[in-house]
Amino acid sequence: MDLELIQHAVPVLLKGLWMTALLTGLSVLLGFNLGLGLALIRLSESRFVAGFAKYYSLAFRGTPLLVQLFLFYYGLGQLPFVRNNAAIWWVISDGTRCAVMAIALNTAAYTSEILRGGLMSIPAGLREAAKAGGMSPFLRFRRIEFPLAIRQALPAYGNELVLVVKGTSLASTITVLEITGYTKRLMSQTYAIFEVFAIAGALYLVINLILIGLVRMTERHLMRHEGR
Amino acid sequence: MEFGLLQVWQDGWIRAILLGATITVAVGAVSMLAGAVIGVICGLVKWARIFPLTLVVDAYTSLVRGVPELLIIYLLFFSSVEFVTKVATAFGYAGLAESGYAFVIAVVAIGTISGAYSTEVVRGALASIPAGHLEAARALGLPARRIFLRIIAPQMLRIAIPGMNNVWQTTIKDTALVSVVGLQELMRAAFVGAGSTRHPFIFFLIAAVVYLVITLVSQTGFDAVERLLKLRARK
């Protein structure tokens, strides 16, 4: 492994790191909120409304992210109502925005399943007690249900975060230059396949380790009542 | 409005897509099988903590599970393409490099990934076998081979089925990624069709539906196996 190659490759891949972090951050932000909404919809009383969330999650978890990405990036532009709608066109027309949308919609499906499990694990008595105490539904959700659900769901959500980071690598297939995009380019430029892979792989491992560390810290913070 | 549905029927694209779907299932099944073999071996190593080997297995599983699948596919593909072409040409099979080779490299890549996840599933299943069962078998003086075949393997299989179902679902979806290195599977067929008819929407939609059918059908299959292996209360 020669020094010149490292000096050339590391700054390029660090540029990609920024893009990967941006894609991850935005997709997680959007995907978490969407997923929370879907989880609540799924638990609603109306069968029709709950059915929507169910089939949404079925469709997005049953197909590869790559297909979803291509369907949005290449496919949607063909539909006339998409082309005439300025807001949707703004999202679709750019690789980065389109990737964020696809990854966010994808992770929302997985997140909704994780959060649904958390919400269902709340003992009915706690909910009833909050109701009896006169809390409004929103206050009840904010003070009682959500904190309990997230505590339950956090370990599984940590795994999902790692999957999102890995999912952002697919953005390279629709012209977005993040770590994997630059890696592919460097591999074909320098032929130093293993060296470039080692650097890129190390960057991904570092991102994942940081995320897992953050999740563990949050977990410990939420479980602080348990003592040690 | 015309989305090219007619063209899909008339120009025989449906055949290409169905052929692609067959290759997708084949790649998925062979990789899953390879992954399961890797998983059982590495899972046993991890569970039994055989000293120098556990370190290797730990490195393997944490690397593969922490790095994007696409990157692993690029590594295996780019690092081997030159080597394999050279070997194939030396033996006078220059054409082979294009046809069979993509399939082999796809199976190697997807099998490596699926193996890492299977390892964790197998390790988890082994860990949940009650220690008392093993102690009892040892106290009875059963040889190690019999203990594995009669005590460990049946319980491991039963506990690991739901986890293996998850691995299979991700494996079949991961096969879409090998389309970027040129294997003519479902995703590639849809991509080629989308490019030459200029109707990407319908082609990727069809691909999505076919993937959905594959995952849903295999889900019912796994559910059936799970029910079959469930312990029945004695009458």
Side-chain angles (χ1 to χ4, degrees):
Chain A
M1 203 162 174
D2 61 312
L3 217 61
E4 215 173 300
L5 175 81
I6 297 175
Q7 272 174 353
H8 173 60
V10 168
V12 174
L13 290 175
L14 283 179
K15 251 196 303 179
L17 177 68
W18 162 239
M19 187 44 119
T20 296
L22 184 76
L23 287 172
T24 308
L26 287 175
S27 322
V28 166
L29 198 72
L30 289 170
F32 182 81
N33 289 303
L34 267 175
L36 183 59
L38 281 167
L40 290 174
I41 285 176
R42 179 82 185 267
L43 294 170
S44 97
E45 311 264 287
S46 149
R47 266 178 70 189
F48 180 75
V49 175
F52 168 77
K54 188 181 165 193
Y55 288 111
Y56 174 92
S57 131
L58 193 79
F60 274 88
R61 295 188 313 139
T63 54
L65 178 57
L66 191 68
V67 177
Q68 294 158 22
L69 206 58
F70 280 10
L71 190 61
F72 293 144
Y73 188 65
Y74 296 113
L76 282 188
Q78 212 190 324
L79 306 178
F81 80 89
V82 169
R83 247 180 299 177
N84 297 333
N85 185 321
I88 302 181
W89 184 247
W90 181 79
V91 175
I92 300 294
S93 59
D94 176 70
T96 312
R97 290 193 283 262
C98 194
V100 167
M101 181 183 85
I103 299 166
L105 290 177
N106 182 272
T107 184
Y110 289 91
T111 306
S112 78
E113 295 291 326
I114 294 168
L115 290 178
R116 185 173 70 104
L119 286 168
M120 288 200 310
S121 75
I122 300 169
L126 293 181
R127 212 174 257 155
E128 280 162 14
K131 233 184 244 180
M135 284 188 175
S136 72
F138 180 72
L139 189 68
R140 206 160 68 220
F141 179 74
R142 188 165 67 85
R143 290 263 184 89
I144 312 289
E145 289 167 7
F146 182 72
L148 286 169
I150 198 74
R151 196 181 292 168
Q152 191 76 28
L154 207 56
Y157 191 65
N159 290 339
E160 177 57 23
L161 286 180
V162 173
L163 290 182
V164 173
V165 172
K166 295 205 289 174
T168 59
S169 72
L170 296 189
S172 66
T173 58
I174 55 168
T175 72
V176 180
L177 280 173
E178 37 65 74
I179 298 179
T180 304
Y182 278 119
T183 303
K184 193 189 176 196
R185 188 185 267 187
L186 281 172
M187 276 177 175
S188 46
Q189 277 172 355
T190 62
Y191 295 106
I193 312 288
F194 285 100
E195 289 84 341
V196 175
F197 173 82
I199 302 169
L203 288 180
Y204 275 114
L205 289 180
V206 167
I207 299 179
N208 287 332
L209 283 178
I210 291 173
L211 276 178
I212 290 170
L214 283 175
V215 169
R216 290 262 163 80
M217 259 169 59
T218 319
E219 221 177 302
R220 218 169 313 138
H221 178 71
L222 291 175
M223 300 297 263
R224 63 195 181 280
H225 61 285
E226 300 247 292
R228 57 214 73 198
Chain B
M1 268 194 290
E2 222 267 277
F3 292 130
L5 202 51
L6 215 64
Q7 248 171 312
V8 175
W9 277 116
Q10 282 171 347
D11 299 345
W13 285 110
I14 273 296
R15 259 187 62 127
I17 283 177
L18 288 180
L19 185 70
T22 323
I23 295 177
T24 288
V25 173
V27 172
V30 177
S31 314
M32 184 69 194
L33 218 62
V37 172
I38 297 174
V40 170
I41 295 169
C42 293
L44 279 169
V45 166
K46 228 174 170 175
W47 174 66
R49 301 222 178 78
I50 306 168
F51 168 62
L53 288 176
T54 29
L55 295 180
V56 179
V57 172
D58 274 342
Y60 160 61
T61 54
S62 28
L63 182 74
V64 171
R65 297 190 313 145
V67 166
E69 290 80 4
L70 197 58
L71 211 58
I72 294 167
I73 289 167
Y74 283 147
L75 170 76
L76 291 173
F77 187 77
F78 287 137
S79 63
S80 63
V81 70
E82 207 180 337
F83 172 74
V84 171
T85 321
K86 227 179 264 172
V87 171
T89 328
F91 284 95
Y93 291 110
L96 189 81
E98 270 105 63
S99 56
Y101 167 63
F103 186 86
V104 172
I105 204 72
V107 167
V108 170
I110 303 295
T112 308
I113 295 161
S114 139
Y117 286 94
S118 304
T119 301
E120 295 299 320
V121 170
V122 170
R123 189 194 54 82
L126 287 169
S128 60
I129 296 175
H133 290 198
L134 295 175
E135 281 161 17
R138 264 187 228 124
L140 286 171
L142 290 180
R145 239 179 72 100
R146 284 270 284 290
I147 294 182
F148 178 76
L149 287 178
R150 288 280 180 81
I151 314 289
I152 299 178
Q155 301 202 53
M156 180 185 82
L157 195 66
R158 188 176 305 130
I159 304 168
I161 288 289
M164 280 305 190
N165 180 17
N166 287 339
V167 175
W168 163 254
Q169 303 278 358
T170 39
T171 300
I172 201 78
K173 286 185 275 174
D174 282 345
T175 59
L177 298 180
V178 292
S179 66
V180 298
V181 291
L183 181 68
Q184 293 287 338
E185 41 69 83
L186 175 53
M187 193 63 207
R188 186 82 199 157
F191 193 77
V192 171
S196 47
T197 60
R198 308 250 172 117
H199 286 298
F201 184 74
I202 195 73
F203 271 93
F204 291 130
L205 196 64
I206 291 174
V209 170
V210 175
Y211 276 113
L212 200 57
V213 168
I214 295 173
T215 49
L216 289 181
V217 167
S218 48
Q219 178 73 52
T220 19
F222 265 99
D223 287 348
V225 172
E226 208 175 317
R227 236 173 299 132
L228 207 71
L229 287 176
K230 207 182 241 166
L231 279 183
R232 270 169 291 251
R234 247 174 240 166
K235 276 164 202 145

